[in-house]
Amino acid sequence: MKNTKISIPAQDLKNKQKKYILAFETSCDDTSVSIIDTDYQVYANIISSQPDHEAFGGILPELASRLHLRNINRCLKAALKKAALTLNDISAIAVAINPGLIGSLIVGVSFAKALAWSLNLPLIAVNHMLGHVMANKIEYPELNPPWLALVVSGGHTELVIFESLSDFYIIGQTLDDASGEAFDKVAKILNLGFPGGPVIDRIAKNGNPNFHKFPRALNKKNNFNFSFSGLKTSVFNWLENKNPEFIDQHLADIVASVQQAIVDILVIKTINAAHKYNINKVIVAGGVSANSCLRNEMNLNCEKNNIDVFFPKMQYCMDNAAMIGAAAVQKYLNNEFADLSLNAFSTKGIRYV
C-alpha cells in the first residue's frame, strides 16, 4: 500500500472550524460507520451486527461479505442523520484495510475509495488492530505515549510498546491460539454458543475460579509471548472423563477456572513487561478488553505496581468504526493519505498497513 501526501481543498482548510472524519469498519461480521472529529469527539457510531452466523457456530466469510454489501450504505445514511451532518461536511474518509476477512475488507475499502473519489476527499488507511488501541483516545483524548498496549482481539494477543502515536514495536505475541480464540474454543467444547467470550464472562460470575488449576503457558518472567492452544487441549482432556451431570452442576466453576487461566497470564506478562521496559502506562484494547475479570485483575495489579491502566468504553471494545476514525486522526493531522490504488489485505499484526 502506497502512502502519499495530497493537498486538502482550500475551502476545507479555511471555512471549517471542525474537521470531521467519516470512518468505515468491515473487517469481520459487523458493518460500522462512524463520524469523529480531530478532537476525538464521536458524533455517530452505527453498528449493524450479523446474527445470521450464530447458527453456524462461527463466521461464514461469503455470507459476511454479502451482508456488508447490503448494510453499508444504510449505515452511512444512519450515521449522517445521527450526526446531523452531510457529506459536504466531511474532511476525510478512513477505512480499515487489514487484518480481517478479505472479502469483508474489500467491501469497506471499495466503498470508501469510491466515496473519497466522488467527493474529492483524502483517503486514510487504518490497521484494524491499531484502531482498537486508539479507541482509548476517545475516552482519554489527552492520553499520549509512551505506553504499553495489551492488544487482545480475535486472533490477536500482542504486547506493543508505543513510543509515539506512530512509532511502536511488538515485544510479545501469541505463538498459536489467541486469548479470544481460547474463549471461543472452550465455549464450543462446552456447547455454550458463539462468540464464547461474553457468555463465559457472564456464567463465570457465579463460579469459583480456583475450582480447577488449568495451565498458564509460557509463564516465565522475561518471556512476553503467549500460547493458549494448550489450555484448550487441557480443558478438552479434563472434561473427557467427566459425566454430563458433573459438567452441568459445575459449569460456572469450570468456565471461571478457564477464564482465570487466560486472565492470569495476560496480567502477569503485561505487568512484567511494564517493569522491564520502565513504562508506567498500560492500555488494554480489543474485544477481550470487555471481559470483567480482566478489567478487575488488571486494575488491581496495576494499582499495586503504581501503573496507570486504561480501558476503552464498553461500546468501543468490539469492532466499530469510531476506533478506525480515532486511529485516523493523527494520520489526518500528518497528511498521511492513501491513493486510490489502495487495496485490502488480510495479513495479521498491528504493524502492517
Side-chain angles (χ1 to χ4, degrees):
M1 192 280 296
K2 179 182 177 182
N3 278 329
T4 184
K5 291 191 176 183
I6 67 174
S7 60
I8 303 174
Q11 64 178 28
D12 189 47
L13 293 172
K14 294 178 180 178
N15 297 337
K16 291 184 179 179
Q17 185 175 5
K18 286 188 175 293
K19 309 298 179 186
Y20 299 103
I21 297 174
L22 175 63
F24 296 90
E25 158 58 32
T26 62
S27 65
C28 192
D29 62 325
D30 289 325
T31 311
S32 183
V33 180
S34 181
I35 298 173
I36 185 172
D37 69 21
T38 50
D39 292 322
Y40 299 97
Q41 181 177 349
V42 177
Y43 297 84
N45 189 41
I46 304 300
I47 302 173
S48 176
S49 299
Q50 298 180 0
D52 313 61
H53 301 277
E54 291 177 5
F56 304 98
I59 308 302
L60 295 186
E62 175 64 21
L63 177 60
S65 302
R66 291 178 180 273
L67 292 174
H68 285 309
L69 282 168
R70 186 182 72 183
N71 295 330
I72 193 166
N73 196 46
R74 298 176 184 176
C75 290
L76 170 61
K77 292 178 179 178
L80 290 168
K81 182 177 180 180
K82 184 171 184 179
L85 296 170
T86 71
L87 288 173
N88 292 328
D89 297 309
I90 303 301
S91 300
I93 308 290
V95 62
I97 68 166
N98 77 294
L101 301 176
I102 189 61
S104 294
L105 289 165
I106 286 173
V107 173
V109 171
S110 299
F111 194 90
K113 284 166 60 175
L115 203 57
W117 175 83
S118 66
L119 297 171
N120 192 29
L121 290 176
L123 180 66
I124 303 172
V126 174
N127 176 280
H128 172 85
M129 305 313 300
L130 183 61
H132 275 300
V133 174
M134 294 305 169
N136 283 275
K137 292 282 284 183
I138 299 171
E139 176 75 357
Y140 309 101
E142 303 303 318
L143 177 64
N144 287 307
W147 66 52
L148 173 67
L150 172 66
V151 184
V152 277
S153 177
H156 294 75
T157 299
E158 298 175 338
L159 280 169
V160 188
I161 291 178
F162 280 73
E163 295 181 342
S164 72
L165 292 177
S166 56
D167 186 13
F168 52 90
Y169 56 95
I170 297 170
I171 61 168
Q173 58 191 327
T174 184
L175 303 179
D176 40 61
D177 286 351
S179 53
E181 291 174 314
F183 278 115
D184 287 341
K185 290 180 179 181
V186 170
K188 188 171 184 179
I189 291 170
L190 292 167
N191 296 314
L192 298 178
F194 177 87
V199 66
I200 286 178
D201 191 10
R202 175 175 53 80
I203 296 173
K205 285 181 171 63
N206 298 314
N208 175 11
N210 299 312
F211 179 73
H212 182 77
K213 184 80 170 181
F214 289 108
R216 277 74 165 160
L218 302 181
N219 189 13
K220 297 180 180 180
K221 187 171 184 179
N222 291 316
N223 185 325
F224 302 121
N225 289 322
F226 300 88
S227 171
F228 293 100
S229 64
L231 173 62
K232 168 202 63 183
T233 303
S234 175
V235 173
F236 181 84
N237 290 338
W238 185 76
L239 289 172
E240 200 169 25
N241 298 321
K242 305 294 186 294
N243 60 52
E245 291 77 17
F246 175 89
I247 296 174
D248 288 343
Q249 180 182 353
H250 296 288
L251 180 62
D253 299 323
I254 295 168
V255 298
S257 298
V258 171
Q259 179 175 259
Q260 196 65 50
I262 295 171
V263 168
D264 278 352
I265 204 68
L266 293 175
V267 172
I268 289 168
K269 286 181 179 284
T270 301
I271 297 296
N272 287 344
H275 283 315
K276 180 174 180 177
Y277 291 94
N278 195 28
I279 298 174
N280 64 2
K281 283 185 287 190
V282 165
I283 278 182
V284 186
V288 181
S289 70
N291 181 272
S292 62
C293 181
L294 176 60
R295 287 183 173 235
N296 292 337
E297 293 288 336
M298 190 68 81
N299 277 318
L300 180 63
N301 282 271
C302 283
E303 183 178 359
K304 286 180 180 178
N305 288 274
N306 296 314
I307 297 169
D308 294 326
V309 61
F310 303 88
F311 290 85
K313 283 186 175 180
M314 294 298 286
Q315 65 261 41
Y316 301 128
C317 290
M318 306 307 174
D319 292 352
N320 66 91
M323 71 183 195
I324 302 303
V329 167
Q330 193 63 37
K331 288 191 169 190
Y332 177 82
L333 296 175
N334 293 341
N335 282 6
E336 296 177 17
F337 303 131
D339 61 33
L340 293 178
S341 66
L342 179 70
N343 204 355
F345 59 101
S346 57
T347 305
K348 279 188 176 184
I350 196 172
R351 262 276 49 132
Y352 300 98
V353 70

